[in-house]
């Protein structure tokens, strides 16, 4: 599993997502990562790095609300959900959706009891919509 964080979408200089997209190293690495059994996930504007790698084109996804127009323009199929699970591609919306992404992945990979246990440990209850195919 790869989890790509976001940040820096609102500004074009270093550090941040735009600088990483310009640099090209991360998008290329994501593009060529072996796919068998791999889940690639991202939160907030980290989804834009997945988009730069071509991984969201024609796929259900979401990102931070300010980056949604860019993601859609680049071919992502936007879903109105905090987490969008399309199998080997899992995307989460804005900053706090990172908690939702983590809890969803624990629940998905380890089961409902593990997810509930992590929620209790964090003293946080998952909220909002998880879209799945």
């Amino acid at each position: 599993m790869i989890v790509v964080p976001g940040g820096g979408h609102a500004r074009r200089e270093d550090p941040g997502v735009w600088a990483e997209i310009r640099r090209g190293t991360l998008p290329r690495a994501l593009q060529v990562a072996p796919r068998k059994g791999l889940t690639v996930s991202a939160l907030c504007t980290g989804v834009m790095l997945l988009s730069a790698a071509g991984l969201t084109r024609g796929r259900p996804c979401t990102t931070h609300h300010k980056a949604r127009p860019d993601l859609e323009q680049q071919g992502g199929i936007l879903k109105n959900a905090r987490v969008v699970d399309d199998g080997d591609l899992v995307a989460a919306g804005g900053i706090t959706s990172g908690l939702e992404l983590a809890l969803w992945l624990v629940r998905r990979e380890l089961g409902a009891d593990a997810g509930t246990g992590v929620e209790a440990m964090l003293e946080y209850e998952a909220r909002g919509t998880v879209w799945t195919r």
Side-chain angles (χ1 to χ4, degrees), residues 80-124:
N80 187 25
R82 289 177 62 85
V83 175
V84 175
D85 185 340
D86 192 34
D88 63 348
L89 176 71
V90 185
I95 299 161
T96 60
S97 295
L99 287 167
E100 309 301 325
L101 174 66
L103 291 169
W104 173 252
L105 291 173
V106 167
R107 185 172 301 278
R108 183 182 110 160
E109 299 298 320
L110 303 175
D113 288 343
T116 302
V118 171
E119 284 183 9
M121 181 184 63
L122 296 175
E123 297 183 2
Y124 180 86

Side-chain angles (χ1 to χ4, degrees), residues 35-120:
R35 291 291 181 256
K36 186 176 182 197
L38 176 66
T39 297
V40 178
S41 61
L43 58 127
C44 197
T45 57
V47 177
M48 299 311 296
L49 284 159
L50 302 185
S51 181
L55 302 180
T56 59
R57 193 167 296 117
R59 308 249 342 238
C61 54
T62 191
T63 189
H64 188 276
H65 69 275
K66 288 191 175 183
R68 288 173 65 94
D70 292 335
L71 183 59
E72 189 170 39
Q73 183 181 21
Q74 294 170 18
I77 301 171
L78 290 175
K79 297 295 178 183
N80 187 25
R82 289 177 62 85
V83 175
V84 175
D85 185 340
D86 192 34
D88 63 348
L89 176 71
V90 185
I95 299 161
T96 60
S97 295
L99 287 167
E100 309 301 325
L101 174 66
L103 291 169
W104 173 252
L105 291 173
V106 167
R107 185 172 301 278
R108 183 182 110 160
E109 299 298 320
L110 303 175
D113 288 343
T116 302
V118 171
E119 284 183 9

